[in-house]
Amino acid sequence: MRYSSQASTCAKLARGSSITALMVAGLLAGAGTAFAQTAPAQTDATDPTATPAAEEDVDIVVTGFRASLENAVAEKKNRDQVVESISAEDIGKLPDASIAESIARLPGLTSQRVSGRSNSISIRGFAPDFSTTLLNGREQTSTGDNRAVEYDQYPAEIMSQVLVYKTGQANLVGQGLSGTVDLRTVRPLEYGRQAISIGARGTYADLGKLNAGSRDKGYRVSGTYIDQFADDKIGVALSGNYLDEPYQIQEFNAWGYAGFNGQGVIGGSKSYVTSTRLKRLGLSGTLQYRPVPNLTVTVDGFYSDFNDDQIKRGIELPLGYGQDFNNPNNANGVKLTGTTANSDGFVTSGTFGNVEGVVRNDAFERKAKLYSFGYNMAWRGDDGWNATLDASYSKTDREEIILESYAGTGYGQNVGAKDTISFTSGKTGTVFKPTLNYSDPNLILLTDPLGWGGTNLQAGYFNDRIVKDRIAQYRFEVEKELDSFFSAVKVGLNYTDRDKSLTPDEALLALSGGLRQLRIPDQYVKEPTSLSYLGLGPMLSYDPRDLLAGGIYQLNPNTSPDVPAKAFRIEEDLMTMYAQADINQDIGGSVLTGNIGVQAVATEQKSSGLIAANGALSPVTRGADYWDLMPSLNLSLRMPGDWVIRAGAARQVQRPRLDDMRVALGYGYNPNERIITGGGGNPSLRPIRSNSFDLTLEKYFGRSGYIAAQGFYKDLKSYVYNQTLPFDYFAFPTPTGTPAGTPTLGRVDRPINGEGGSIYGVELAATLPLSTFASFLDGFGVTGGGSWTKTQIKPDPNSPPENIPGYSKWVINGTAYFEKWGFSARGSARYRSTFVGELSGFGGNRQRRRALDETIIDAQVGYEFQKGTALEGLSIFVQGQNLTDERFSTVDPGYDLAVIDYQSYGRRFLAGASFRF
């Protein structure tokens, strides 16, 4: 006997059928039945890890969410890696409104919210930069500055399945250190039927319209068409999606907390209300041609046009930082009186005097276009010889414009009216009570209120960040099937060419005509924005883009050497060679399956940018060449009673962040330390490398449920840290504002390859239809999991351990559902403990801060009209997201109440319908 998976009768259609299409076979319209999909054989390079399927007929059971869970259970059961998966409930219908939301519910995975929506994924306690995202098995470019894919780009409606590989495997090219996410679209020939589906939904954000001109309602429409022609020799799948949805945010942000008589007091506040309008067009198409049963040619493409438009309005208040409250000669400085403090020495209330607030009207616009194309030709010989040729190209063009605008009571410090502000600081941030009216157009003027521009008036700041990312990938694989302990042997060669660049364009915003201050013309003044949640009342509102277009502002280029130092161009050429032997062997009443193999990767990396040479900035290119040898072993012992024990061991690597590899150096004069300090990248960085081990025990209940305990250990042999070192700036141009006599010997902060450490943990996961235990509970079920993770990473042997960004010690998620007679209802919760989050700071630079734990609760109810009714094929649903209005909050570790960020996103409600022909 040889091991074979439990598969649907669809597996008979093609011995080498694609996973993607068969995972939705249970959703076929008009069949009256559904098929549970497991793991069919590989047909092309887009499915590098599939296990051969059997031709065993099974009874047809369920559709909808329950079928989606059954497909996920079957996928996990029949893989030889540790895998989590999501399958579409129906054509164009993943279980959640976004891919990231669905992925974040899988065991050992979680997400960080950005602007109220899940956008990045952490696997096993690692930041998104430690994982890789593929589309149909191919590496993808990113709309971010680095490698991590932002899932906003990928409409959930065009995906049929998501696979998350937690362990390494030799023929999985482009794998990450923490895991690999593979997004899959439908394959029309394997799907096997004509299908047409259309859908629409409306969205409501319950925080309302926080800014003038913003929206609290949006919509989303989608459609999918699948068909086969010429006696099933040609297949076509087309999908499209368009969304126009709002997001609203109330945000408190503190500069930090300053010392005052041995106590901590808020140093300053920069808080906003943010209104976002997200537009995205997503298109996907696949053409398949099978002239003979042995040969399948697949051509697919994906296009995303993404526009994220934000307006941010708030009041920036300089408070405790840099102030000498006890100096009687500091008559014009900020005063602090009437304070009360708690037992920790944290000032919870008081009154600031002589405050000069800055009214902020900022705009943020991000446009990105992503293109992805692939060609695959797969031959499945009758003699056991198989071959695959795959070529792909991915491209992203992104432009990100940040426009800051400042207004106040007068130009420069100690000129205009000053405010007396009382405050109360607590767990939600700080609430203020001002005496000035910040919505008065006669009081609040366009100017440089605090003299930030020095001798140059700076009424705002303009930052245009242009990112271009390209990946070309070519792959060839040959496989020979055997009838022995090794069931197949395959060898392959993959070449990946990546080129990513960032070009910054920055300028000071000045008033035209050399003016120092200006009353805002009436035609630009909008309805005041309420900051009542901060206690600040209304504020003067306008759109700075209108003032720039109308000639009120002019742009004066920023000539600081810090600007070109942010630019980079990274070129990577990777040649991957691999060999893998698949295992399939009877051992008594059990079956041992798995694989053993090795990857050898030759890397050539180059970094181009500007550095100082002979007193001027000059272009230079530097880099490194190196090899990585990555053996892997995956074993699954499949025992009677549906028990499976898995063991995995692999060498894994994660290439460095792209911005860490930049060659340029940014620097400037540090007035606090009276030295020159700077920071930059390291073009010679090597990957983070890990010896990884996994052990799991799984119990399955047929093909509908399972319980699993999974343990893992990653021994990181190296890690990338930022290290501060002495540095002589003698050959560099003297930065603006540096006093005469300042020594050239200063300090630089740059990433290096340092000591490693370990990260290990345990995951418990389950999907349990309750009918498994009692027949009267048919239709009820639960799915979810929890993980505990521990990390011990040291920057160097003499430093204490520190947390990896994105690491949460506890991650727990669960969904309870009922689905029967066309009615469905489910409630979901996910929890993650405190973690180091990554936020966007000034100029788009990343900032890391300690985020508090959070629990997100969602719910959905729906109904699908049944066969034989007048509305057969119609499904309707109502969904609520973030029902408890869970905040996102970061803190200063010095005090329990020292809140840095406190963001409220509100609740979101969605109602929609889909119709399947």
Side-chain angles (χ1 to χ4, degrees):
M1 165 187 170
R2 291 289 179 197
Y3 166 73
S4 59
S5 62
Q6 298 177 352
S8 74
T9 55
C10 291
K12 297 179 180 179
L13 296 177
R15 180 171 163 271
S17 56
S18 162
I19 280 184
T20 303
L22 284 178
M23 287 299 290
V24 296
L27 311 170
L28 296 175
T33 56
F35 299 91
Q37 167 61 28
T38 57
Q42 175 184 350
T43 65
D44 54 31
T46 66
D47 185 12
T49 55
T51 301
E55 298 182 354
E56 178 183 350
D57 294 331
V58 296
D59 293 332
I60 295 162
V61 281
V62 294
T63 59
F65 185 64
R66 295 167 67 188
S68 171
L69 292 178
E70 288 196 1
N71 292 337
V73 170
E75 193 71 54
K76 186 176 184 70
K77 181 178 181 180
N78 290 289
R79 292 277 173 170
D80 289 320
Q81 292 171 282
V82 179
V83 170
E84 312 294 345
S85 73
I86 307 160
S87 176
E89 297 179 35
D90 206 338
I91 289 298
K93 186 181 177 183
L94 277 184
D96 292 280
S98 78
I99 292 176
E101 293 284 351
S102 291
I103 297 174
R105 302 192 195 286
L106 294 173
L109 281 74
T110 189
S111 69
Q112 180 179 334
R113 293 180 292 170
V114 177
S115 297
R117 55 188 187 269
S118 293
N119 191 28
S120 59
I121 296 297
S122 295
I123 303 176
R124 287 181 161 176
F126 287 87
D129 290 312
F130 290 87
S131 62
T132 303
T133 297
L134 315 176
L135 179 62
N136 293 320
R138 303 161 178 138
E139 285 191 69
Q140 296 299 294
T141 53
S142 168
T143 56
D145 290 353
N146 285 284
R147 306 179 190 277
V149 163
E150 297 177 322
Y151 290 94
D152 280 340
Q153 291 289 326
Y154 298 95
E157 290 86 346
I158 71 173
M159 300 298 165
S160 64
Q161 185 191 29
V162 179
L163 293 171
V164 180
Y165 304 102
K166 291 183 176 178
T167 56
Q169 186 165 294
N171 72 330
L172 180 59
V173 175
Q175 56 192 309
L177 189 149
S178 63
T180 307
V181 180
D182 192 4
L183 311 176
R184 295 182 175 271
T185 57
V186 70
R187 293 293 182 253
L189 288 182
E190 281 70 46
Y191 186 77
R193 291 179 183 264
Q194 184 189 75
I196 302 173
S197 175
I198 57 175
R201 78 179 193 201
T203 307
Y204 171 68
D206 76 342
L207 280 182
K209 305 174 184 179
L210 297 184
N211 280 295
S214 67
R215 302 183 177 191
D216 57 4
K217 300 179 182 67
Y219 68 93
R220 187 173 190 157
V221 293
S222 62
T224 300
Y225 169 72
I226 304 172
D227 210 343
Q228 302 79 33
F229 309 94
D231 296 327
D232 290 340
K233 293 182 179 179
I234 298 176
V236 175
L238 301 173
S239 296
N241 167 274
Y242 181 77
L243 69 81
D244 184 348
E245 292 185 334
Y247 290 83
Q248 304 284 350
I249 308 168
Q250 291 178 333
E251 176 185 359
F252 165 80
N253 172 261
W255 290 2
Y257 291 83
F260 168 65
N261 293 341
Q263 300 173 328
V265 66
I266 183 170
S269 169
K270 186 172 67 174
S271 303
Y272 297 97
V273 294
T274 301
S275 298
T276 296
R277 186 176 180 183
L278 180 63
K279 296 181 181 179
R280 184 194 60 211
L281 172 66
L283 302 173
S284 175
T286 300
L287 173 66
Q288 284 191 294
Y289 177 50
R290 186 175 291 154
V292 294
N294 302 87
L295 178 65
T296 302
V297 178
T298 303
V299 180
D300 53 46
F302 169 72
Y303 169 75
S304 174
D305 187 351
F306 178 90
N307 190 352
D308 185 359
D309 193 323
Q310 293 185 4
I311 191 74
K312 302 171 73 72
R313 295 191 173 105
I315 302 175
E316 188 164 7
L317 301 171
L319 300 170
Y321 269 144
Q323 304 297 331
D324 186 358
F325 300 123
N326 297 319
N327 185 353
N329 297 320
N330 188 23
N332 294 320
V334 175
K335 301 298 183 181
L336 177 59
T337 59
T339 61
T340 59
N342 63 16
S343 58
D344 294 328
F346 180 79
V347 177
T348 57
S349 64
T351 299
F352 287 106
N354 288 347
V355 175
E356 296 181 85
V358 180
V359 173
R360 298 285 297 266
N361 283 260
D362 299 350
F364 173 94
E365 189 169 358
R366 186 183 204 185
K367 297 181 179 179
K369 292 185 178 181
L370 188 153
Y371 310 81
S372 182
F373 306 98
Y375 172 85
N376 181 274
M377 183 168 60
W379 173 263
R380 295 290 177 257
D382 295 328
D383 56 357
W385 283 97
N386 306 318
T388 301
L389 175 66
D390 192 270
S392 63
Y393 179 74
S394 178
K395 167 186 172 183
T396 295
D397 294 328
R398 183 190 106 203
E399 184 175 19
E400 184 177 274
I401 297 176
I402 305 169
L403 182 59
E404 299 182 353
S405 172
Y406 316 143
T409 59
Y411 170 63
Q413 291 182 311
N414 304 316
V415 175
K418 296 186 178 183
D419 203 357
T420 298
I421 300 178
S422 59
F423 70 96
T424 302
S425 296
K427 293 182 178 180
T428 62
T430 301
V431 177
F432 303 95
K433 186 177 181 181
T435 57
L436 293 181
N437 179 7
Y438 288 95
S439 65
D440 184 354
N442 295 310
L443 176 66
I444 304 302
L445 309 174
L446 298 175
T447 187
D448 185 351
L450 298 180
W452 287 337
T455 58
N456 299 313
L457 180 135
Q458 183 177 339
Y461 199 79
F462 174 85
N463 189 358
D464 186 1
R465 308 174 77 247
I466 301 171
V467 175
K468 295 183 180 296
D469 197 0
R470 310 284 187 273
I471 295 179
Q473 194 169 26
Y474 312 92
R475 182 173 179 179
F476 180 69
E477 180 182 286
V478 176
E479 177 186 25
K480 181 63 171 79
E481 298 178 8
L482 306 172
D483 187 16
S484 64
F485 177 82
F486 293 112
S487 59
V489 174
K490 59 193 72 172
V491 294
L493 182 67
N494 183 89
Y495 173 71
T496 302
D497 178 14
R498 183 168 197 165
D499 186 330
K500 186 159 189 170
S501 64
L502 167 64
T503 304
D505 179 13
E506 301 185 19
L508 304 180
L509 211 61
L511 294 171
S512 298
L515 297 176
R516 293 296 185 180
Q517 60 187 40
L518 176 69
R519 185 186 188 278
I520 304 172
D522 291 340
Q523 67 266 32
Y524 296 110
V525 177
K526 297 183 178 296
E527 179 183 349
T529 294
S530 174
L531 301 177
S532 57
Y533 74 101
L534 296 169
L536 292 173
M539 62 163 280
L540 188 65
S541 300
Y542 55 90
D543 192 326
R545 293 168 293 190
D546 294 341
L547 273 66
L548 182 60
I552 304 298
Y553 286 133
Q554 67 181 36
L555 298 178
N556 296 330
N558 186 348
T559 59
S560 167
D562 183 59
V563 175
K566 298 176 184 178
F568 64 78
R569 181 183 177 187
I570 308 297
E571 299 172 82
E572 291 181 329
D573 293 307
L574 290 90
M575 183 67 74
T576 302
M577 296 159 280
Y578 63 87
Q580 178 177 305
D582 296 340
I583 299 170
N584 194 327
Q585 178 65 45
D586 295 345
I587 302 179
S590 303
V591 180
L592 178 68
T593 67
N595 54 72
I596 184 171
V598 64
Q599 266 190 22
V601 183
T603 301
E604 179 182 350
Q605 64 190 34
K606 297 178 182 179
S607 176
S608 303
L610 297 174
I611 66 170
N614 300 320
L617 292 174
S618 302
V620 68
T621 299
R622 295 175 179 168
D625 303 333
Y626 54 86
W627 281 83
D628 279 294
L629 193 67
M630 296 181 288
S632 62
L633 173 67
N634 291 281
L635 296 175
S636 297
L637 183 63
R638 305 171 186 278
M639 300 178 292
D642 265 349
W643 287 90
V644 179
I645 298 176
R646 302 186 198 276
R651 176 79 160 189
Q652 295 177 302
V653 303
Q654 186 68 43
R655 297 193 297 278
R657 287 178 60 109
L658 293 168
D659 59 354
D660 281 346
M661 295 166 60
R662 70 188 189 276
V663 71
L665 179 70
Y667 62 98
Y669 177 69
N670 186 327
N672 295 325
E673 301 181 57
R674 299 179 181 179
I675 62 172
I676 300 174
T677 59
N682 182 351
S684 299
L685 278 180
R686 300 298 198 269
I688 299 172
R689 298 180 171 107
S690 169
N691 293 335
S692 303
F693 306 92
D694 285 79
L695 182 64
T696 76
L697 175 62
E698 302 162 5
K699 164 61 179 174
Y700 289 88
F701 303 94
R703 56 188 174 87
S704 59
Y706 79 97
I707 300 175
Q710 304 172 171
F712 70 92
Y713 179 84
K714 293 185 183 292
D715 179 16
L716 272 65
K717 311 310 293 184
S718 67
Y719 197 71
V720 174
Y721 301 95
N722 282 337
Q723 188 172 59
T724 301
L725 301 168
F727 189 84
D728 195 338
Y729 292 89
F730 174 78
F732 287 66
T734 301
T736 303
T738 303
T742 299
T744 58
L745 183 62
R747 192 176 65 241
V748 69
D749 186 71
R750 67 192 336 164
I752 63 164
N753 290 106
E755 295 290 330
S758 62
I759 183 167
Y760 52 91
V762 176
E763 301 167 351
L764 301 177
T767 293
L768 293 174
L770 298 187
S771 59
T772 303
F773 310 103
S775 59
F776 69 88
L777 294 176
D778 182 45
F780 291 94
V782 294
T783 182
S787 65
W788 173 86
T789 309
K790 180 69 174 178
T791 177
Q792 293 181 344
I793 304 294
K794 292 185 177 182
D796 60 67
N798 300 318
S799 299
E802 65 179 31
N803 287 343
I804 296 174
Y807 161 76
S808 289
K809 187 174 183 179
W810 293 96
V811 173
I812 303 171
N813 60 72
T815 298
Y817 67 88
F818 173 79
E819 188 172 71
K820 198 172 184 180
W821 307 302
F823 177 77
S824 64
R826 60 180 181 264
S828 300
R830 69 176 190 270
Y831 167 83
R832 70 178 304 183
S833 60
T834 178
F835 63 100
V836 176
E838 186 170 293
L839 296 87
S840 179
F842 174 75
N845 298 325
R846 57 178 171 136
Q847 296 180 351
R848 289 173 176 169
R849 291 198 281 268
R850 170 64 60 181
L852 297 181
D853 62 312
E854 59 183 24
T855 302
I856 315 297
I857 297 177
D858 306 322
Q860 176 175 314
V861 295
Y863 182 75
E864 180 178 359
F865 291 87
Q866 298 297 285
K867 184 176 181 180
T869 64
L871 296 177
E872 177 186 351
L874 176 66
S875 299
I876 57 176
F877 75 93
V878 176
Q879 185 179 88
Q881 298 176 343
N882 193 26
L883 292 176
T884 59
D885 189 14
E886 181 74 332
R887 84 291 181 264
F888 172 80
S889 183
T890 69
V891 296
D892 183 329
Y895 301 94
D896 291 340
L897 296 179
V899 176
I900 300 294
D901 297 283
Y902 193 94
Q903 299 178 6
S904 297
Y905 305 125
R907 303 167 184 84
R908 294 177 63 81
F909 298 96
L910 302 86
S914 62
F915 190 83
R916 183 187 60 199
F917 298 89

